[in-house]
Amino acid sequence: MNEHSRGSALGPTGAGELFQLLRDGHPRTRAQLALETGLARSTITTRVDELMGLGLVLPVAEAASTGGRPPSQFALNPRARVVLAADLGASHATLAITDLTGIVLAEHSQRIDIAAGPVAVLTWLAETTMSLLKRLGLGECDLVAIGIGVPGPVHFESGQPANPPIMPGWNGFDIPGWLGRILPVPVLVDNDVNIMALGERATNFPTVEHFMFVKVATGIGAGLVSGGRLQRGAQGIAGDIGHVRVGRGGDIQCQCGNSGCLEALASGPAIASSLRAQGLEAAGTTEVIDLVKAGNTMAIQAVRQAGRDLGEVLSTCVSLMNPSVIAIGGSMARAGEHLIAGVREVVYSRSTPLATEHLRIMPSASAAHAGVLGASALAVHHALSPSGIAALSSQ
Amino acid sequence: MNEHSRGSALGPTGAGELFQLLRDGHPRTRAQLALETGLARSTITTRVDELMGLGLVLPVAEAASTGGRPPSQFALNPRARVVLAADLGASHATLAITDLTGIVLAEHSQRIDIAAGPVAVLTWLAETTMSLLKRLGLGECDLVAIGIGVPGPVHFESGQPANPPIMPGWNGFDIPGWLGRILPVPVLVDNDVNIMALGERATNFPTVEHFMFVKVATGIGAGLVSGGRLQRGAQGIAGDIGHVRVGRGGDIQCQCGNSGCLEALASGPAIASSLRAQGLEAAGTTEVIDLVKAGNTMAIQAVRQAGRDLGEVLSTCVSLMNPSVIAIGGSMARAGEHLIAGVREVVYSRSTPLATEHLRIMPSASAAHAGVLGASALAVHHALSPSGIAALSSQ
């Protein structure tokens, strides 16, 4: 019976519920709010006053008068508060302070070592957050939530990494609990590919209901949006396509303990390894991309083949999920059109004509920024939810 | 920003919205309804009266008094109206009249030929519906919606089949429009595997949020529930896994025009064909099942191998969607444990340990009834939605 949402569920209608209407940015009068909600005018007045008290809503230019005193209009104040958005990779991190519409106000990127463990990395994160706030002339009280992407599986409800293979020391670590003692705001933690999917979609495909973001870098993973919602799966590991077996994989060993995995054939390190076996100098992803950009035929062929391997897995994903857009990002996407060409070659030949008729397969447009944009969206979404606003009101 | 639903969206709160609370079957007093909705007591009284006028709500045993006159309680009346649930296959159909909780009140099954075209099949469907209603002592006015599953892709919003390969004459046919002229109620149409997924889940796994139903019969397809919602994909063909290429497929031709498709290897007719090539007499699925039940080793091995082929595709589905239950139904599931054993063998060896730790792969428990139960759920869900009730009120 859950195949659709059940229309507008009722519940006690606080200021937070009213605010959901104003999140679209359109100004409304009290009368319009009363009409749209069915709430009494007196209730609307109380709720609007509460939201103005929090600074979340501001009066804006007067609406056209219908005679008598012109009614005041109210709209979301995007600069009322800020969020911290963090995209933590294995060896690199980007932190950003954004406003409530996801606009980046200040940003900092640097090399990190995720394997240094949660205390070292999160201490650095908290200190950097404070200095970014200071740079903007803001204080801790302006921060309303934190969104973090990490390079491994996460139990989303608790914010704890779940057996992340490249994050030693992080398994089961209570990121929201630990960080919340330094920065006392809600902390949302998700897998890095999931936040990239959220960011890419929020920025470039806000109306696409069935969307897939694929990251090809040291690892390979996907973030899935079905029916307009990010799908995390039963254990929070939906989209974990790096260890799907690929046809030409044969007995190529993967670090997961299985053989023939997509990641063992088509990741940046896997391509570099295949080029070294052919006598080229390619320590990792960066050198592969340099070779491709220099026009090296062997490197171009290897990247194209990696695209075909990825396409083999994605053609099953297309049959299963029937998305309308697949965006491909991650450091290997910088190799240009060759990777995508390989993907398209296989997906368009293998998937059913009905599934590919309107399917677009394209490079990520948000590129390196997809992660922080998604982490911001995650944090803002929580902060502006009815329960988030109720928490603000009670402070 | 759509990764979660936005809490309880507000909107004009009619009787239909109020009714959503009562759909759980728990009786409530007017005071409890006012508390849960935040609506004025006078509004609650008006809405409850409206729902009682429609017969959808009945007063039930009095609540414990808090002094003074004991307050009346109200609850959903499951027999207020009925729906028609239809599961149309290529050569067989089941029709059922169910109440508003999905309980079957009357049922009829018979052989049909879907290729006779929509007018012939739907005329039969309408006539059978009338005679089932009559058998129950009910009339047309008791019917509140119709749910239909058909063996092909459907554009769910319009209820029109979309290039269905085994339904000649049905492409783009306006099933709700045509049928609505004979039986003037809302008609919901979906792919047969989708309604089987809805029915199997509603009956046996109502709390499972990430669920997959796989039908193995003349064709092979899947119905997906992610985040508690049936996922239809951009063109309504999510779950169309029959034409995914399988490793051992080689150049085995499929009727879709490609080669090596799952359906060309693991469907009932494909297994029968492979057994005939080994000198056995097996015209189709029924004979394959008979041979398996008789203990024929070649037939058992062929079914087990079909399970492995299916498992190869499902292991990718498991990595991608991270479901917690996969139910396997369709006529080939009657071959018993051999098919499922093959599926499990490959999925548990190929998928990541985290994805399979809590994964259950099991035979469909609803079996032949999954389709009508799902069609009933689809119809009831629509009829009892706020817009469905608004339509009833305006009659």
Side-chain angles (χ1 to χ4, degrees):
Chain A
M1 296 295 296
N2 289 26
E3 76 276 18
H4 300 297
S5 68
R6 285 194 174 171
S8 54
L10 289 176
T13 51
E17 276 79 11
L18 183 67
F19 184 66
Q20 304 311 308
L21 283 179
L22 293 162
R23 284 181 64 182
D24 65 8
H26 294 300
R28 287 171 177 81
T29 63
R30 289 190 187 91
Q32 286 168 332
L33 289 168
L35 192 69
E36 289 188 53
T37 60
L39 292 174
R41 283 292 292 272
S42 58
T43 310
I44 296 287
T45 299
T46 313
R47 302 287 188 249
V48 167
D49 287 350
E50 192 181 333
L51 292 168
M52 286 208 290
L54 292 168
L56 290 171
V57 160
L58 288 177
V60 292
E62 302 293 282
S65 173
T66 54
R69 198 166 64 88
S72 291
Q73 285 192 305
F74 304 91
L76 166 69
N77 172 18
R79 299 289 161 97
R81 306 288 173 104
V82 296
V83 303
L84 185 276
D87 181 12
L88 305 182
S91 58
H92 190 268
T94 302
L95 304 192
I97 302 283
T98 82
D99 75 7
L100 298 178
T101 56
I103 289 174
V104 173
L105 306 176
E107 192 178 55
H108 176 79
S109 289
Q110 73 169 65
R111 291 191 69 81
I112 63 160
D113 180 12
I114 201 86
V119 173
V121 172
L122 296 177
T123 301
W124 165 80
L125 185 148
E127 287 169 0
T128 309
T129 301
M130 297 305 287
S131 79
L132 285 172
L133 285 171
K134 198 170 169 188
R135 197 202 293 175
L136 291 166
L138 300 173
E140 226 180 85
C141 56
D142 295 299
L143 189 71
V144 78
I146 295 175
I148 304 179
V150 300
V154 175
H155 181 253
F156 179 69
E157 280 69 32
S158 69
Q160 297 177 4
N163 298 308
I166 61 164
M167 297 172 68
W170 291 77
N171 181 32
F173 189 84
D174 180 8
I175 299 177
W178 193 92
L179 205 52
R181 281 193 289 275
I182 306 179
L183 296 165
V185 293
V187 178
L188 293 300
V189 188
D190 207 340
N191 174 264
D192 59 349
V193 188
N194 282 351
I195 63 161
M196 291 169 89
L198 286 178
E200 181 77 23
R201 178 167 178 263
T203 314
N204 301 303
F205 308 100
T207 62
V208 171
E209 294 277 294
H210 304 276
F211 174 74
M212 196 168 168
F213 182 91
V214 183
K215 178 187 177 187
V216 187
T218 305
I220 297 178
L224 315 178
V225 174
S226 282
R229 297 164 73 154
L230 186 73
Q231 300 296 344
R232 296 185 173 90
Q235 269 76 42
I237 54 168
D240 190 10
I241 58 170
H243 301 284
V244 169
R245 191 204 291 260
V246 176
R248 77 173 179 101
D251 52 8
I252 296 177
Q253 293 299 305
C254 179
Q255 58 184 6
C256 77
N258 242 320
S259 60
C261 298
L262 176 62
E263 210 164 281
L265 277 90
S267 66
I271 301 171
S273 165
S274 78
L275 291 178
R276 286 197 303 275
Q278 295 176 70
L280 289 176
E281 284 191 21
T285 307
T286 308
E287 291 77 11
V288 173
I289 291 164
D290 289 347
L291 283 166
V292 167
K293 293 203 165 156
N296 181 286
T297 308
M298 281 192 285
I300 290 172
Q301 285 174 340
V303 169
R304 175 88 176 212
Q305 181 56 47
R308 290 190 198 103
D309 296 332
L310 178 58
E312 184 181 324
V313 175
L314 293 184
S315 71
T316 304
C317 301
V318 165
S319 296
L320 189 68
M321 296 189 41
N322 185 204
S324 46
V325 175
I326 298 177
I328 298 185
S331 54
M332 271 310 299
R334 287 189 282 124
E337 70 277 18
H338 305 292
L339 187 75
I340 302 244
V343 171
R344 288 182 176 145
E345 178 186 328
V346 174
V347 170
Y348 287 113
S349 75
R350 280 306 314 173
S351 305
T352 61
L354 195 55
T356 54
E357 189 181 356
H358 301 290
L359 173 66
R360 287 180 286 164
I361 301 173
M362 51 212 301
S364 162
S366 303
H369 265 84
V372 285
L373 294 174
S376 164
L378 198 62
V380 168
H381 181 81
H382 180 88
L384 300 188
S385 71
S387 60
I389 289 177
L392 276 182
S393 299
S394 65
Q395 278 173 6
Chain B
M1 296 295 295
N2 289 27
E3 74 275 19
H4 301 294
S5 69
R6 285 191 173 175
S8 55
L10 289 177
T13 51
E17 277 79 11
L18 183 67
F19 183 67
Q20 303 312 306
L21 283 178
L22 293 162
R23 285 181 62 183
D24 63 11
H26 293 300
R28 289 171 177 82
T29 62
R30 290 191 187 88
Q32 285 167 334
L33 289 168
L35 192 69
E36 288 189 54
T37 61
L39 293 173
R41 284 290 293 272
S42 59
T43 309
I44 296 288
T45 299
T46 314
R47 303 285 189 251
V48 168
D49 287 350
E50 192 180 333
L51 292 169
M52 286 206 290
L54 291 168
L56 290 171
V57 160
L58 289 177
V60 292
E62 301 293 280
S65 172
T66 54
R69 197 167 64 88
S72 290
Q73 286 192 306
F74 304 92
L76 166 69
N77 173 16
R79 299 288 161 98
R81 306 288 173 102
V82 295
V83 302
L84 184 278
D87 181 12
L88 305 182
S91 58
H92 191 267
T94 302
L95 305 191
I97 303 280
T98 82
D99 74 7
L100 299 178
T101 56
I103 290 174
V104 173
L105 306 176
E107 193 178 57
H108 175 79
S109 290
Q110 73 169 65
R111 292 192 67 81
I112 62 161
D113 180 12
I114 200 87
V119 172
V121 172
L122 296 177
T123 300
W124 165 81
L125 185 147
E127 287 167 1
T128 309
T129 301
M130 297 306 286
S131 78
L132 285 172
L133 285 170
K134 199 172 169 188
R135 196 200 297 173
L136 292 166
L138 300 173
E140 225 181 89
C141 57
D142 295 300
L143 188 70
V144 79
I146 295 175
I148 303 179
V150 299
V154 175
H155 182 253
F156 179 70
E157 280 70 31
S158 69
Q160 298 177 3
N163 298 305
I166 61 163
M167 297 173 70
W170 291 78
N171 182 30
F173 188 85
D174 180 10
I175 299 176
W178 193 91
L179 206 51
R181 281 192 289 274
I182 306 179
L183 296 165
V185 293
V187 179
L188 293 300
V189 188
D190 207 340
N191 173 265
D192 59 349
V193 189
N194 283 350
I195 63 161
M196 291 169 90
L198 286 178
E200 180 77 24
R201 179 168 177 262
T203 314
N204 300 303
F205 308 101
T207 62
V208 171
E209 293 277 291
H210 304 276
F211 174 74
M212 196 166 167
F213 182 92
V214 183
K215 178 187 175 187
V216 186
T218 305
I220 297 178
L224 314 178
V225 173
S226 282
R229 297 165 71 155
L230 185 73
Q231 300 296 342
R232 296 185 173 89
Q235 269 77 40
I237 53 167
D240 190 10
I241 59 171
H243 301 283
V244 169
R245 191 203 291 260
V246 176
R248 79 172 177 101
D251 52 8
I252 295 177
Q253 293 299 306
C254 180
Q255 58 184 7
C256 77
N258 242 321
S259 61
C261 298
L262 176 62
E263 210 164 279
L265 278 89
S267 66
I271 300 171
S273 165
S274 77
L275 292 178
R276 286 196 302 275
Q278 295 176 71
L280 291 176
E281 281 190 26
T285 307
T286 308
E287 291 77 12
V288 173
I289 292 164
D290 290 345
L291 284 166
V292 168
K293 294 203 164 154
N296 180 285
T297 308
M298 281 193 287
I300 290 173
Q301 285 173 341
V303 170
R304 174 87 177 213
Q305 181 57 44
R308 290 189 198 105
D309 295 333
L310 178 58
E312 184 182 323
V313 175
L314 293 184
S315 71
T316 303
C317 301
V318 165
S319 297
L320 189 67
M321 294 189 43
N322 185 204
S324 46
V325 175
I326 298 178
I328 299 185
S331 53
M332 271 309 298
R334 286 189 282 125
E337 69 276 18
H338 305 291
L339 187 74
I340 303 245
V343 170
R344 288 182 175 143
E345 177 186 329
V346 174
V347 170
Y348 287 114
S349 75
R350 280 307 313 174
S351 304
T352 61
L354 195 54
T356 53
E357 190 181 358
H358 302 289
L359 173 66
R360 286 180 289 164
I361 301 173
M362 51 213 302
S364 162
S366 303
H369 265 83
V372 285
L373 294 174
S376 164
L378 198 61
V380 169
H381 182 80
H382 179 87
L384 299 188
S385 70
S387 61
I389 289 178
L392 277 183
S393 299
S394 65
Q395 277 172 8

